[in-house]
Amino acid sequence: MAPAARKKVLHKVADRIEAEALELAVLGVRDNGTELNMALKAEPGSAAGTFRYYAEALDKVYGEIAPTAPDVLGLVHREPVGVVGAIVPWNFPLMIGAWKLAPALAAGNSVVLKPAETASLSLLRLAEICMECGLPDGVLNVVTGQGSVAGEALALSHDVDVLVFTGSGATGRRLLQYSAASNLKRVYLELGGKSPNVVFADAPDLAQAAKVSAMGIFRNSGQVCVAGSRLLVERSIHDDFVSMLADEAKKLRVGDPLDLSSQVGAINSETQLMGNLGFVEDAIKEGNTIALGGSRILESTGGYYMEPTIITDVAPGHRVAREEVFGPVLAVTAFDSDEDALRIANSTDYGLAAGVWTSNLSRAHRMVAGIRAGVVHVNTYGGSDNTVPLGGVKQSGNGHDKSMHAFDKYFDLKTAWMQL
Ligand code: NAD
């Protein structure tokens, strides 16, 4: 399809996502329990923007003429890779699905997308929308099913040229093995995190830092890949800051995800809830202090809700500081100096996101340079848009979603070397 025609289809898809925002958000929330308030912005709101971004980008990327000797013409063509396999998780299926689909389709590929077992409704609706907007039959295929069945088949397929994935490290490792065992397809992984949020005593506004840090871990019940799940606080303000943060957490209304006044929704599944509670039990065994929460709540509703939980006296080696909980559980550690903060911040296998709160510009730059992560937020936590890449270093992954950097994944380069 000509780029101009592709652009038209993708803009129409964005229009329809905007027009059906509430329906799409509710479909997702019924699957995964995210509070509707947040889902509306993060899911259809973000997905429509992503479709528009790549619709606009697709006719602004050119091939190249290489600076060869004069008797040769070296052309570098950008070609679609062919078939893209995409496997996505249950948190933010529409947003993350769009991060893969929009650039893959914009680049001229066809896509086979496998949603998570517990969150496929909004992506199935998106596939219908794409068809209704003129995407040719067969260009987008949404295949639901178990990861170990449908996901594995997709990852092992010799017909898939590039595999893009968001999910856990354990599955990411398998996908690399499937690629090695099949056709050596390129595999791009967006994995988990254990992101440090570092608060210095000279933060410009500690009350604001406490408020934003609370949302940085507790929104969507902590089921956010970039959640600021490790709070590192300068020792001189440790007790005061933890108490301010606990006050913010206590104010959050946890409840029915479909109620627009709920600020924190439900845990995705019983397995996930039990896993979260297991982290609390282990923290107690390791001598950590449960400063707030730690328990299941609203059990009588039949839903899986958990109190925003703050665990203090956590050392970098403790389980709750090392492993991703993917729940509303914050691990707090005190630090004494910039070097100490950097050492603790980097004492993890992950490298997805981080936060730094300080009014010292030099310190902010030193921390941004020193923390190994895909994104470092300064005097805020969690902001982003389509213009900047999202991806991890270390065991948080090897690829990026969003921005023009993500677009490159969906092209092959072909050289034409012509003797003149
Ligand atoms: P998961 O790895 O269990 O599942 C993700 C997807 O992989 C699902 O669609 C699942 O069906 C599929 N899958 C599972 N086993 C498979 C197999 N053997 N072969 C092929 N596919 C398989 O992860 P999850 O629990 O759904 O999601 C939570 C994880 O995702 C967390 O670790 C979180 O940090 C991460 N995440 C990362 C980002 C990011 O951008 N880096 C964003 C959101 C979530």
Side-chain angles (χ1 to χ4, degrees):
M1 194 184 259
R6 251 184 273 154
K7 172 186 281 211
K8 216 168 174 180
V9 171
L10 296 179
H11 270 305
K12 270 195 207 163
V13 172
D15 291 342
R16 286 289 297 278
I17 294 173
E18 278 165 0
E20 292 185 25
L22 184 60
E23 186 196 340
L24 283 163
V26 168
L27 280 176
V29 169
R30 291 175 70 134
D31 263 345
N32 68 9
T34 298
E35 53 279 4
L36 183 56
N37 218 329
M38 179 183 192
L40 265 171
K41 289 177 220 125
E43 290 268 85
S46 147
T50 305
F51 271 87
R52 279 201 204 296
Y53 182 89
Y54 290 104
E56 282 304 323
L58 67 85
D59 55 2
K60 293 168 191 74
V61 289
Y62 290 73
E64 293 161 359
I65 300 173
T68 56
D71 61 341
V72 164
L73 179 61
L75 301 177
V76 183
H77 296 277
R78 290 168 75 99
E79 295 187 335
V81 296
V83 178
V84 173
I87 302 180
V88 296
W90 46 260
N91 67 326
F92 309 112
L94 199 64
M95 174 179 83
I96 295 173
W99 287 348
K100 320 284 189 201
L101 281 178
L105 295 174
N109 299 286
S110 57
V111 182
V112 182
L113 172 77
K114 199 209 81 68
E117 293 84 338
T118 56
S120 49
L121 293 179
S122 55
L123 287 168
L124 286 166
R125 178 67 196 128
L126 179 63
E128 285 175 353
I129 289 175
C130 288
M131 283 170 65
E132 288 159 16
C133 291
L135 198 73
D137 285 355
V139 173
L140 169 60
N141 311 271
V142 177
V143 180
T144 58
Q146 296 293 320
S148 56
V149 182
E152 182 177 320
L154 186 62
L156 280 170
S157 170
H158 284 254
D159 294 330
V160 171
D161 300 287
V162 164
L163 188 64
V164 288
F165 172 73
T166 296
S168 64
T171 306
R173 280 170 205 277
R174 286 202 190 96
L175 299 185
L176 291 170
Q177 288 168 346
Y178 298 152
S179 167
S182 56
N183 62 342
L184 295 177
K185 57 180 71 65
R186 295 204 298 268
V187 180
Y188 295 102
L189 305 172
E190 306 288 339
L191 308 173
K194 193 77 218 181
S195 301
N197 182 23
V198 187
V199 182
F200 286 92
D202 69 355
D205 180 348
L206 282 171
Q208 173 71 1
K211 198 173 177 173
V212 175
S213 298
M215 288 313 281
I217 174 64
F218 298 128
R219 69 197 167 132
N220 197 18
S221 299
Q223 302 167 131
V224 178
C225 57
V226 295
S229 54
R230 286 187 298 145
L231 178 71
L232 314 190
V233 196
E234 193 161 2
R235 198 174 300 277
S236 60
I237 56 160
H238 175 278
D239 293 357
D240 287 347
F241 190 77
V242 170
S243 122
M244 283 159 81
L245 198 133
D247 287 345
E248 291 296 338
K250 280 184 225 160
K251 280 190 234 159
L252 295 173
R253 274 189 307 279
V254 184
D256 183 351
L258 288 168
D259 181 340
L260 272 171
S261 70
S262 297
Q263 289 167 293
V264 177
I267 308 293
N268 179 258
S269 64
E270 187 174 15
T271 315
Q272 200 69 29
L273 173 67
M274 291 308 152
N276 296 347
L277 297 174
F279 270 94
V280 176
E281 269 172 37
D282 286 353
I284 294 168
K285 280 187 208 144
E286 289 193 290
N288 308 147
T289 307
I290 311 301
L292 184 76
S295 305
R296 181 178 182 174
I297 46 171
L298 304 173
E299 194 170 347
S300 59
T301 63
Y304 308 128
Y305 298 94
M306 183 170 170
E307 293 174 307
T309 298
I310 300 177
I311 303 180
T312 53
D313 303 318
V314 177
H318 290 151
R319 183 175 178 228
V320 75
R322 282 185 293 108
E323 294 179 32
E324 182 182 46
V325 180
F326 219 54
V329 178
L330 179 66
V332 186
T333 304
F335 69 83
D336 294 299
S337 64
D338 291 27
E339 294 67 33
D340 200 23
L342 271 181
R343 181 184 57 78
I344 302 170
N346 286 330
S347 64
T348 167
D349 290 335
Y350 292 109
L352 191 55
V356 176
W357 299 80
T358 177
S359 30
N360 179 327
L361 191 58
S362 304
R363 171 182 276 155
H365 281 293
R366 279 198 306 272
M367 296 301 288
V368 169
I371 295 178
R372 293 205 60 206
V375 54
V376 183
H377 305 97
V378 178
N379 294 333
T380 184
Y381 197 93
S384 184
D385 69 18
N386 274 307
T387 62
V388 290
L390 174 76
V393 295
K394 294 158 76 179
Q395 291 183 33
S396 288
N398 62 1
H400 289 98
D401 282 320
K402 307 197 300 164
S403 83
M404 295 303 282
H405 296 286
F407 212 13
D408 286 340
K409 295 189 291 198
Y410 302 99
F411 291 100
D412 275 329
L413 297 180
K414 179 190 278 174
T415 299
W417 184 264
M418 305 169 74
Q419 191 64 51
L420 301 182

